Amino acid sequence: MPVPLTQQQIDQYYNDGYFIVRGALSGEDFAPLEAAYSEVIDERIRDFKARGLIEDLYEYEPFATRFARIHDQIKVDDKDLRRELSWGLDIMHAKLPAVFEFFFTPNLLAPVESIIGPEIMLSPIQHIRPYVPVTGDSQPMQVPWHQDQGVTKEEADVSEILTVWIPMVDVDENSGCLEVIPGQTNLLEHQAEGGTMIKPHLMPDAKPVDCVMSRGDLLFMSAYTPHRGHTNRSDYVRWSMDLRFQKTGTPTGRPVHPEFILQSKADPDSVQDSYVEWCERWEAGLEAGKGVRHHRV
Ligand SMILES: O=C(O)CCC(=O)C(=O)O
Ligand SMILES: [Fe+2]
């Protein structure tokens, strides 16, 4: 049964700028996603084996670890090959039907509605991030301290945007969970250098909180909550998805990329549930967005 947030949980979200919704998603909600990504990865692994780039397919390795065991077979300093292995897995590149269907998961939309209201639009700022285990300090694609409002254009400053961070595996400080700084309600100045990040001298001195989570939990974060991902030093891949929701019609701050109406109680026919249209609008948006700076800095 989809469960909305209680008033106490909503209050906690607004007080702290984040809230972990425990046990919201079920194994059934994840199964099609996992199956779809397993298939994409399997194809890629077979291609790498056929090209003699890896020895072992690790066919019977579970979803959480298989991709890591494949990476283990490629030298850490062969960055191009490692990049090729992970290339194109993000939501808008892979365009998997299972991901599109996941957006409409009732167990996800019920607590989102508690914050955003019944007219729910999905922001185009959305990712799937497989953090592969590392031994050193450099986690490819790792994001530094930032607020999500900082990665939008200024037009989004009138919008209330809710980030939902969804671990597809259990996460803790050793396996790449997020750390957040509670209680921040305004935008801190960001810089582009080092990846869009809060200017170091403006970082709040409040103590960061590690968001230790199980698969099935959802991290709700306001767009002003400073956060970053920990390095993954475990032996499995930190698979996570992050989505952003806002009231339909409010600016996303990413104007060239497509937003989608996921739910409407006022006008149910307005829901954009066509997979084909989703693919077409992403293809057009990615083309139009080439060479465009998407962040405000
Ligand atoms: O997954 C991460 O490590 C960072 C995620 C993030 O910045 C976000 O979801 O907004
Ligand atoms: Fe973020």
Side-chain angles (χ1 to χ4, degrees), residues 125 127 129 131 141-144 146-148 151 163-166 176-178 221 227-230 238 240-244:
I125 307 176
H127 299 287
R129 308 185 204 241
Y131 275 21
M141 311 304 285
Q142 190 172 20
V143 295
H146 68 284
Q147 295 164 298
D148 278 357
V151 303
T163 294
V164 180
W165 191 84
I166 308 165
C177 76
L178 287 206
M221 259 189 310
H227 60 281
R228 70 172 177 183
H230 270 298
R238 191 218 70 180
S240 67
M241 187 189 298
D242 45 275
L243 303 174
R244 284 152 202 77

Coordinates of all heavy atoms in Angstrom, one line a residue, residues 125 127 129 131 141-144 146-148 151 163-166 176-178 221 227-230 238 240-244, ligand 1:
I125 N 16.3 16.9 -14.4 CA 17.5 16.6 -13.7 C 17.4 15.3 -13.0 O 16.7 15.2 -11.9 CB 17.9 17.8 -12.7 CG1 17.8 19.1 -13.5 CG2 19.2 17.6 -12.1 CD1 18.0 20.4 -12.7
H127 N 19.2 11.2 -12.6 CA 20.4 10.3 -12.9 C 20.3 8.9 -12.3 O 19.7 8.8 -11.2 CB 21.7 11.0 -12.3 CG 22.0 12.3 -12.9 ND1 22.4 12.5 -14.2 CD2 21.8 13.6 -12.4 CE1 22.6 13.7 -14.5 NE2 22.2 14.4 -13.4
R129 N 23.4 6.5 -11.0 CA 24.8 6.7 -10.8 C 25.4 5.4 -10.2 O 25.3 5.2 -9.0 CB 25.1 7.8 -9.8 CG 24.4 9.1 -10.2 CD 24.8 10.2 -9.2 NE 23.9 11.3 -9.1 CZ 24.1 12.6 -9.5 NH1 25.3 12.9 -9.9 NH2 23.2 13.5 -9.4
Y131 N 28.3 4.0 -8.7 CA 29.6 4.2 -8.1 C 30.3 2.9 -8.0 O 29.9 2.1 -7.1 CB 29.5 4.9 -6.8 CG 29.3 6.4 -6.8 CD1 28.9 7.1 -7.9 CD2 29.7 7.2 -5.6 CE1 28.7 8.5 -7.8 CE2 29.5 8.5 -5.6 CZ 29.0 9.2 -6.7 OH 28.8 10.6 -6.6
M141 N 33.1 10.4 -11.4 CA 31.7 11.0 -11.4 C 31.2 11.4 -10.0 O 30.1 11.8 -9.9 CB 30.7 10.0 -12.0 CG 31.0 9.4 -13.4 SD 31.4 10.7 -14.6 CE 29.8 11.3 -15.0
Q142 N 32.1 11.3 -9.0 CA 31.7 11.7 -7.7 C 31.4 13.2 -7.6 O 32.1 14.0 -8.3 CB 32.8 11.4 -6.7 CG 32.3 11.5 -5.2 CD 33.4 11.0 -4.3 OE1 34.6 10.8 -4.7 NE2 33.0 10.6 -3.1
V143 N 30.3 13.6 -6.9 CA 30.0 15.0 -6.9 C 30.5 15.6 -5.6 O 30.4 15.0 -4.5 CB 28.5 15.2 -7.0 CG1 28.0 14.8 -8.4 CG2 27.7 14.5 -6.0
P144 N 31.0 16.9 -5.6 CA 31.4 17.5 -4.4 C 30.2 18.2 -3.7 O 29.1 18.1 -4.2 CB 32.4 18.6 -5.0 CG 31.9 18.9 -6.4 CD 31.2 17.6 -6.9
H146 N 27.4 20.4 -2.8 CA 26.6 21.3 -3.5 C 25.1 21.3 -3.0 O 24.8 20.4 -2.2 CB 26.6 20.9 -5.0 CG 25.9 19.6 -5.3 ND1 26.4 18.4 -5.0 CD2 24.6 19.4 -5.8 CE1 25.6 17.5 -5.3 NE2 24.5 18.0 -5.8
Q147 N 24.4 22.3 -3.5 CA 22.9 22.3 -3.3 C 22.3 22.1 -4.6 O 22.8 22.6 -5.6 CB 22.5 23.7 -2.7 CG 23.0 24.0 -1.3 CD 22.9 25.5 -1.0 OE1 23.4 26.3 -1.7 NE2 22.1 25.8 0.0
D148 N 21.2 21.3 -4.7 CA 20.7 21.1 -6.1 C 20.2 22.3 -6.7 O 20.2 22.4 -8.0 CB 19.6 20.0 -6.0 CG 20.2 18.6 -6.0 OD1 21.5 18.5 -6.0 OD2 19.5 17.6 -5.8
V151 N 22.6 23.7 -9.3 CA 22.8 23.1 -10.6 C 21.7 23.3 -11.5 O 21.5 22.7 -12.6 CB 23.1 21.5 -10.5 CG1 24.3 21.3 -9.7 CG2 21.9 20.7 -10.0
T163 N 14.2 16.8 -4.2 CA 15.1 15.7 -4.7 C 14.8 14.4 -3.9 O 14.7 14.4 -2.7 CB 16.6 16.1 -4.4 OG1 16.9 17.2 -5.2 CG2 17.5 14.9 -4.8
V164 N 14.7 13.4 -4.7 CA 14.5 12.0 -4.0 C 15.7 11.2 -4.5 O 15.9 10.9 -5.7 CB 13.2 11.4 -4.4 CG1 13.0 10.0 -3.7 CG2 12.0 12.3 -4.0
W165 N 16.5 10.8 -3.5 CA 17.7 9.9 -3.8 C 17.3 8.5 -3.4 O 16.9 8.3 -2.3 CB 18.9 10.5 -3.0 CG 20.2 9.9 -3.4 CD1 21.0 10.3 -4.5 CD2 20.9 8.8 -2.8 NE1 22.1 9.5 -4.5 CE2 22.1 8.6 -3.5 CE3 20.6 8.0 -1.7 CZ2 23.0 7.6 -3.1 CZ3 21.5 7.0 -1.3 CH2 22.7 6.8 -2.1
I166 N 17.5 7.6 -4.3 CA 17.0 6.3 -4.2 C 18.1 5.2 -4.3 O 18.6 4.9 -5.4 CB 15.9 6.0 -5.3 CG1 14.9 7.1 -5.3 CG2 15.3 4.6 -5.1 CD1 14.0 7.1 -6.5
G176 N 29.4 4.6 -0.1 CA 28.9 5.7 -0.9 C 27.6 6.3 -0.6 O 26.9 6.8 -1.5
C177 N 27.2 6.3 0.7 CA 25.9 6.9 1.1 C 26.1 8.4 0.9 O 27.2 8.9 0.7 CB 25.4 6.6 2.5 SG 26.3 7.4 3.8
L178 N 25.0 9.2 0.9 CA 25.1 10.6 0.9 C 25.3 11.2 2.3 O 24.9 10.6 3.2 CB 23.8 11.2 0.3 CG 23.4 11.1 -1.1 CD1 22.6 12.3 -1.6 CD2 24.7 11.1 -2.0
M221 N 15.2 15.4 0.0 CA 16.1 16.5 0.3 C 15.5 17.8 -0.4 O 15.1 17.7 -1.5 CB 17.4 16.3 -0.4 CG 18.5 15.8 0.4 SD 20.1 15.8 -0.5 CE 19.8 15.0 -2.0
H227 N 24.9 18.7 0.1 CA 25.1 17.2 0.2 C 26.2 16.8 -0.8 O 26.6 17.6 -1.7 CB 23.8 16.5 -0.2 CG 23.3 16.8 -1.6 ND1 22.6 17.9 -1.8 CD2 23.4 16.1 -2.7 CE1 22.2 17.9 -3.1 NE2 22.7 16.8 -3.7
R228 N 26.7 15.6 -0.6 CA 27.7 15.0 -1.5 C 27.6 13.5 -1.3 O 27.1 13.1 -0.2 CB 29.1 15.6 -1.3 CG 29.7 15.1 0.0 CD 31.2 15.5 0.0 NE 31.8 15.1 1.3 CZ 33.0 15.4 1.7 NH1 33.8 16.1 0.9 NH2 33.4 15.0 2.9
G229 N 28.2 12.8 -2.2 CA 28.3 11.3 -2.1 C 29.6 10.9 -1.5 O 30.6 11.5 -1.8
H230 N 29.6 9.9 -0.5 CA 30.8 9.4 0.0 C 31.5 8.5 -1.1 O 30.8 8.0 -2.0 CB 30.5 8.5 1.2 CG 30.6 9.1 2.5 ND1 31.7 9.8 3.0 CD2 29.6 9.3 3.4 CE1 31.4 10.2 4.2 NE2 30.1 10.0 4.5
R238 N 27.6 0.9 -5.9 CA 26.6 1.7 -5.3 C 25.7 2.2 -6.4 O 25.9 3.2 -7.0 CB 27.1 2.9 -4.5 CG 26.1 3.6 -3.7 CD 26.2 5.1 -3.6 NE 25.9 5.7 -4.9 CZ 25.9 7.0 -5.1 NH1 26.3 7.8 -4.2 NH2 25.6 7.5 -6.3
S240 N 22.5 3.9 -7.6 CA 21.4 4.8 -7.0 C 20.8 5.6 -8.1 O 21.4 5.7 -9.2 CB 22.1 5.8 -6.0 OG 22.9 6.7 -6.7
M241 N 19.6 6.0 -7.8 CA 18.9 6.9 -8.8 C 18.5 8.1 -8.1 O 18.2 8.1 -6.9 CB 17.6 6.2 -9.3 CG 16.9 6.9 -10.4 SD 15.2 6.3 -10.8 CE 15.6 4.7 -11.4
D242 N 18.6 9.3 -8.7 CA 18.1 10.5 -8.1 C 17.2 11.2 -9.1 O 17.5 11.4 -10.2 CB 19.2 11.4 -7.6 CG 20.4 11.6 -8.5 OD1 21.3 10.8 -8.5 OD2 20.3 12.6 -9.3
L243 N 16.0 11.6 -8.5 CA 14.9 12.2 -9.3 C 14.5 13.5 -8.6 O 14.7 13.6 -7.4 CB 13.7 11.3 -9.4 CG 14.0 9.9 -10.0 CD1 12.7 9.0 -9.9 CD2 14.5 10.0 -11.4
R244 N 14.0 14.4 -9.4 CA 13.5 15.6 -8.8 C 12.0 15.9 -9.2 O 11.7 15.7 -10.3 CB 14.4 16.8 -9.1 CG 15.6 16.8 -8.4 CD 16.8 17.5 -9.0 NE 18.0 16.9 -8.4 CZ 18.5 15.7 -8.7 NH1 18.0 15.0 -9.6 NH2 19.6 15.3 -8.0
Ligands
LIG1 O1 24.7 10.2 -5.8 C1 25.5 11.0 -5.5 O2 26.6 10.7 -5.0 C2 25.2 12.4 -5.5 C3 23.7 12.6 -5.8 C4 23.3 14.0 -5.8 O3 24.0 15.0 -5.8 C5 21.8 14.2 -5.9 O4 21.1 13.2 -6.0 O5 21.4 15.4 -6.0

